[in-house]
Amino acid sequence: MDPNPISWLRPTRKPGAGAFATMFALDSFARGSNVTVLYLQAKDLQVTDQHITLFSNAASVSALTFSFLVPLLMHRFRRRWVYTAGIGLGMIGALALASASIGGEITALILRGLSGVAISTGLLLYVMDFIPRHEMTRSEPLRLFSGCLPWGLGPWIGVQLYDRFGSIGVAALTIGAYTVLLGYFWYLRITENPAVAAAKRPPPNPFANLARFVKQPRLRLAWFVAFSRSAWWSMFFVYPTLYLHDNHVANTWAGALTGAGNIMLVLTLPVGWLARRTGIRRLIMTAFAVAGTLTIIAAITFEIVPLTACLILAGTAFVVWLDALGTIPFMRSVRSYERPQMASVFQTYIYLSDLLPGIIYFVLLGFFDLRSVFLTCGLLAVGASFVARRLPKSM
C-alpha cells in the first residue's frame, strides 16, 4: 500500500501540445456555447445596446482586477487548484445565466470573465513550462486549430438550445463541457514543471510586476499586438449579434455568424506552416491591415445587412492569423524565471481589450448607431498593423 494517501495528486505524465490543445478545445466549447446567448437573452430582456456594453465593461473590470490576484493565488494554492476553481466559476456562471434575469445576466458575465482569467492564465503557464520555444510556431497553431469546431459549433448549438429550451438548456450544455474538462485535467495530473518551479520565491507583488513589465519594450509590444487582436474579437462576439437582432434577423443567423467566424480557426495550421518559413512579423502586419480595412468597409455598407455581415465574417479569416501567432512575441520575449509574474500582466490584454474599447463604444452609442463601433474597431486594427512593424525581423 502506498504510504502517501494523496500520491494520486502527483503528476505522472509530461503533457505535450496535444494535451494542451484538448484542454483548450474543451474550454472553448464551454465558453462558445453561451457566448451568443448571453447577448441574445439580454436583448430579449429589453436591455439596450448601450447598457449591454455597460454590463460587459463591469465584467471586464472584475476580470482585470482578478488577473492581478492570480499570481498570489497560484503561489498560495498551486496552479492546479486555481485552474480547477476557474472551471467551477464557469459552472456557477452558467447557472446564473439560466435564471433568465437581468441580475443573472450581470452575474453570468462577471463569473464567465473570472473563470476565463484562471483558466487562460493557467494554460498559458503550462504551455510555456512544457513547450520549447522553437516549437511554439507549431504548438500554438495546433492549440488554436483545436478550438475550430468548439468555437464554430458551440454558438450555433447554444442558440438552438436557447430557442427550444431557454437558457436552462444552454446552461446544461456549458456545465457538461466544463465537467469533461475538469475530468480530463485531473486525469493528466499536471502541475508546474519541476525544472522551472524548483526555486521557492516570495509571493509576487502585482504592482512591482506591472512596473517590471512596462520597462521591457518587447513585452509592451507583445501586449499591444495581443490587445489589438483581442479587441477585434471582443467586438465580433457582441456587436454583430446586436446588429442582426436590431435588423430583425433570426437568432439562428446570429449564432451561425459567430460560429462561422470561429470555424475560420481552421486556417491556423497553414498559417503556422507559413510562419515557420517566413517568420511572424509580416503575417501579423498583413492580418491587421486587411481585417481592419474590411471592418471599416462594413461600417460604410451598414444599411446592407447581408453585405455587412459577410464583410465582418471575412475579417475573421485574417484575425485568426493573429490567433495563431499573436502570443508568440510574448512567449519568445519573457524571461523564464519571471513567467508567472509577467504572464499575469500580459493576460490583462484580454480584459482591457473588452474594457477600453467598451468605454469608447458606450460613449459612441449614446450619440450614434452600431456603425460607429465597426469604424472604431477597424481603425484600431489598421493602426496596429503599423505598430507591428516594430516586431523584430528575426521573429
Side-chain angles (χ1 to χ4, degrees):
M1 178 179 295
D2 192 333
N4 185 352
I6 61 170
S7 60
W8 63 276
L9 291 176
R10 295 173 180 167
T12 58
R13 305 169 183 86
K14 181 180 179 180
F20 296 135
T22 301
M23 290 166 61
F24 180 78
L26 292 169
D27 178 49
S28 296
F29 188 75
R31 295 172 61 79
S33 62
N34 61 29
V35 64
T36 303
V37 172
L38 276 165
Y39 304 105
L40 288 176
Q41 181 170 266
K43 295 294 290 186
D44 291 340
L45 292 170
Q46 306 302 313
V47 182
T48 66
D49 293 347
Q50 190 179 26
H51 282 94
I52 291 174
T53 301
L54 182 62
F55 295 164
S56 296
N57 288 348
S60 299
V61 170
S62 300
L64 176 63
T65 303
F66 185 57
S67 69
F68 286 102
L69 299 176
V70 165
L72 296 171
L73 294 173
M74 288 183 172
H75 181 87
R76 175 66 180 83
F77 299 107
R78 297 296 183 183
R79 188 184 305 166
R80 60 184 178 273
W81 295 113
V82 176
Y83 189 93
T84 299
I87 296 174
L89 289 173
M91 292 179 175
I92 298 172
L95 291 175
L97 178 66
S99 69
S101 63
I102 293 179
E105 280 281 323
I106 298 173
T107 302
L109 281 167
I110 291 175
L111 292 182
R112 188 175 185 274
L114 300 184
S115 170
V117 172
I119 292 175
S120 62
T121 302
L123 183 58
L124 177 64
L125 292 172
Y126 286 134
V127 169
M128 289 192 293
D129 275 2
F130 291 98
I131 302 298
R133 292 190 181 192
H134 66 276
E135 287 293 324
M136 286 177 178
T137 54
R138 188 184 307 273
S139 67
E140 281 300 285
L142 174 63
R143 182 173 67 86
L144 271 298
F145 177 79
S146 72
C148 175
L149 286 179
W151 275 111
L153 296 179
W156 182 80
I157 294 173
V159 171
Q160 294 295 319
L161 290 174
Y162 178 67
D163 286 341
R164 295 187 182 186
F165 306 106
S167 51
I168 288 180
V170 183
L173 179 64
T174 300
I175 292 172
Y178 275 130
T179 301
V180 176
L181 173 59
L182 182 64
Y184 181 70
F185 174 67
W186 280 99
Y187 164 77
L188 292 174
R189 288 188 270 177
I190 56 177
T191 185
E192 292 88 342
N193 187 337
V196 176
K200 286 284 184 178
R201 301 181 183 90
N205 183 325
F207 299 104
N209 295 341
L210 178 60
R212 187 163 180 79
F213 189 100
V214 171
K215 289 179 181 178
Q216 301 182 55
R218 284 197 177 187
L219 295 188
R220 295 200 307 266
L221 180 57
W223 185 93
F224 184 78
V225 168
F227 166 85
S228 301
R229 183 237 329 163
S230 185
W232 197 96
W233 279 122
S234 296
M235 179 280 296
F236 176 77
F237 284 125
V238 180
Y239 296 98
T241 297
L242 304 183
Y243 170 71
L244 294 179
H245 192 282
D246 290 346
N247 284 278
H248 311 291
V249 177
N251 289 346
T252 301
W253 285 105
L257 176 62
T258 304
N262 289 307
I263 285 289
M264 295 294 182
L265 287 168
V266 71
L267 298 174
T268 56
L269 285 185
V271 168
W273 176 86
L274 188 60
R276 291 193 292 274
R277 285 152 180 79
T278 66
I280 66 175
R281 178 175 174 270
R282 186 176 299 176
L283 293 176
I284 289 176
M285 291 167 52
T286 301
F288 272 128
V290 178
T293 300
L294 290 171
T295 311
I296 291 170
I297 296 174
I300 297 172
T301 64
F302 189 79
E303 300 295 339
I304 310 173
V305 176
L307 178 57
T308 299
C310 288
L311 286 167
I312 293 173
L313 179 61
T316 65
F318 294 90
V319 181
V320 295
W321 295 19
L322 303 169
D323 282 354
L325 308 174
T327 58
I328 293 176
F330 170 75
M331 291 178 171
R332 286 182 173 175
S333 300
V334 66
R335 299 181 177 94
S336 60
Y337 62 84
E338 58 182 4
R339 284 174 180 172
Q341 295 88 342
M342 295 302 100
S344 68
V345 179
F346 176 71
Q347 289 289 91
T348 61
Y349 81 82
I350 300 174
Y351 325 114
L352 286 173
S353 67
D354 287 333
L355 178 60
L356 297 182
I359 292 173
I360 296 173
Y361 300 157
F362 178 78
V363 174
L364 290 174
L365 290 173
F367 301 94
F368 309 105
D369 57 23
L370 288 172
R371 80 185 74 195
S372 63
V373 172
F374 298 152
L375 179 61
T376 302
C377 183
L379 290 173
L380 173 61
V382 171
S385 70
F386 288 97
V387 175
R389 293 169 60 90
R390 297 176 58 190
L391 288 169
K393 293 182 179 181
S394 58
M395 282 195 175

